[in-house]
Amino acid sequence: TAPGARRSPASMPGTATKPRVAVRRGPDAYATALAALRALALPELRGRRVLLKPNAGRRVEPGLGITTNPAVVAAACDFFLACGAQPSVGESTIVGVTPLDCLDATGIAAVARARGIPVLDLDALPARVTPISNGLVLDHLRVCGALAAFDYVVSIPVMKTHMHCSVSLSLKNMKGCLRGHEKVRLHQLPPCAAQPGSKPLDLAIADMATILAPQLALIDGSTGMQGLGPSAGTQIHPGLMIASTDCLAADAIAACLMGFAPAEIAHLALTAQRGLGVIDCALIDVDPPHWREWTVPFERPPQKLSFEFKHITVLDQESCSACLSTMLMFLKRHYAELGEYLPLTLAIGKGHASAPDGTFCVGNCTAKTAAGQHVFIKGCPPVASEILRQIKQQR
């Protein structure tokens, strides 16, 4: 059984105990995170090996709402050290960047190393193929082999919206425990005949939850991201921390605080339907009782994305959030440098049968579309600087 597969008693069907979620608000992310953690009753952790899994899947500077605030990771490090546990901080990133580089860039590695806590590349060991019983779209997952060394897993995501999943919180953050390209596979699954109205990605996250639900969620809402999350949206500053030993309950309360009804978040609803917990806020014990007063509505992801950059056409057919976010970040950062290379046509996604002459095919899913007729920019997703380099080189 993979770490995190065990359900907390509060979330098991037939039990009367409500799952408990602690919500805290304050201007100091470190102090607020510690307060949320201290509000929980945790098992004896002395001597236990604890994996702190932040969201550090991209090589970006801290404070953007894309990755976990290093102060929150610092608070978790200090909390578990004080418990007598043996914490480590680890991540498995999107393809094209390395976990240790991302942990360094985001400021997370520095706070861990300052405390003598190991910083791990979760992709360093071979994957462990873990079967999934009664999965709707998955019968196995290739899980990072490093997880086998840990007794207790803590998911420390950023509170943010997601263009394909509505929100990205503690459960979605566990996708970063899938090794390498396995993350991409979840974006490339065919429709499920048994669930015709559901996105395969949402079904896959619910399947993943049966083997990778963390034992503790600490959701960082100090600086979040709204709109075009997970990486191309705008910052928002709720100043919140949400903690629980029931990750589904924590995500439900976080979604409410973001202005969403938990039942409208498909992957949360599907996970609850699997019997892995509850998302009805009335069935969750939230501390403090006036927590709803701290709601900060997030701008929602657009129903349909459009690229409004003059003289640039982006052909998007069945792209995943990684490629879509990379394209948006590339255009936001480098549009001013593209003047002499305009007009441009760029294609992303796996669904292109063909493309117009002169199209730049961006990302590994467009390799067949390029087929020697167009410029192909490899990567899963490609790096923004490489897209810029190839455009300049070809023109």
Side-chain angles (χ1 to χ4, degrees):
T1 302
R6 299 176 294 280
R7 290 180 287 178
S8 64
S11 66
M12 288 191 178
T15 57
T17 305
K18 290 182 177 182
R20 179 178 174 81
V21 176
V23 181
R24 295 293 183 269
R25 185 177 69 166
D28 184 321
Y30 176 90
T32 309
L34 266 184
L37 290 169
R38 288 170 176 166
L40 301 176
L42 299 184
E44 174 58 51
L45 292 169
R46 186 168 301 279
R48 303 284 296 278
R49 298 162 297 177
V50 176
L51 174 65
L52 306 179
K53 164 62 179 75
N55 184 333
R58 289 181 177 271
R59 195 179 188 283
V60 296
E61 63 190 75
L64 301 178
I66 298 174
T67 55
T68 303
N69 186 335
V72 176
V73 179
C77 290
D78 289 345
F79 176 82
F80 284 100
L81 286 172
C83 290
Q86 301 172 23
S88 297
V89 174
E91 178 65 295
S92 168
T93 55
I94 62 173
V95 181
V97 293
T98 66
L100 295 183
D101 281 349
C102 290
L103 288 165
D104 280 330
T106 56
I108 291 171
V111 300
R113 290 179 180 135
R115 292 160 170 78
I117 291 174
V119 178
L120 306 178
D121 175 350
L122 296 185
D123 286 334
L125 296 178
R128 294 171 62 236
V129 178
T130 305
I132 295 177
S133 300
N134 303 315
L136 291 169
V137 291
L138 298 171
D139 59 11
H140 73 279
L141 279 169
R142 297 177 69 251
V143 176
C144 293
L147 264 68
F150 294 96
D151 306 305
Y152 201 82
V153 178
V154 184
S155 179
I156 315 179
V158 189
M159 185 186 284
K160 59 185 178 180
T161 55
H162 192 286
M163 60 184 71
H164 292 322
C165 301
S166 296
V167 299
S168 178
L169 296 165
S170 69
L171 188 54
K172 171 70 167 56
N173 186 48
M174 294 302 290
K175 191 163 166 276
C177 289
L178 304 180
R179 194 178 187 281
H181 281 85
E182 188 74 339
K183 303 176 195 68
V184 178
R185 183 165 75 95
L186 270 62
H187 290 271
Q188 299 177 336
L189 297 166
C192 175
Q195 295 272 352
S198 297
K199 292 181 182 178
L201 178 59
D202 290 321
L203 294 166
I205 294 170
D207 284 350
M208 180 185 73
T210 65
I211 64 165
L212 278 179
Q215 281 92 349
L216 178 65
L218 174 60
I219 300 172
D220 169 21
S222 54
T223 296
M225 176 163 284
Q226 60 182 343
L228 282 171
S231 59
T234 58
Q235 294 177 29
I236 187 170
H237 305 281
L240 293 169
M241 297 291 158
I242 299 98
S244 179
T245 55
D246 187 310
C247 69
L248 193 59
D251 284 2
I253 298 305
C256 281
L257 287 165
M258 298 167 72
F260 292 83
E264 70 177 300
I265 309 301
H267 69 272
L268 299 185
L270 289 163
T271 301
Q273 289 169 20
R274 300 288 295 265
L276 298 178
V278 297
I279 58 172
D280 182 345
C281 296
L283 301 177
I284 300 170
D285 176 19
V286 188
D287 174 34
H290 63 273
W291 63 277
R292 289 184 185 272
E293 296 175 8
W294 295 339
T295 299
V296 180
F298 279 49
E299 176 189 332
R300 295 178 173 234
Q303 292 292 317
K304 184 171 179 58
L305 294 173
S306 60
F307 294 83
E308 297 178 359
F309 294 87
K310 193 173 182 180
H311 303 305
I312 289 182
T313 301
V314 177
L315 306 174
D316 176 16
Q317 291 290 333
E318 301 179 49
S319 67
C320 72
S321 59
C323 239
L324 198 52
S325 296
T326 295
M327 180 60 68
L328 285 163
M329 290 174 68
F330 161 70
L331 292 174
K332 285 184 175 182
R333 290 179 181 177
H334 300 294
Y335 180 70
E337 301 175 57
L338 295 173
E340 64 182 286
Y341 306 100
L342 300 177
L344 279 175
T345 300
L346 306 119
I348 55 175
K350 63 181 180 179
H352 299 280
S354 61
D357 291 345
T359 296
F360 287 83
C361 294
V362 181
N364 291 353
C365 285
T366 64
K368 290 183 179 179
T369 307
Q373 301 178 24
H374 306 288
V375 176
F376 171 56
I377 304 173
K378 68 179 181 179
C380 187
V383 180
S385 59
E386 179 61 14
I387 301 173
L388 180 65
R389 189 190 70 79
Q390 291 239 29
I391 290 172
K392 289 183 173 180
Q393 178 177 306
Q394 296 298 323
R395 294 291 180 93

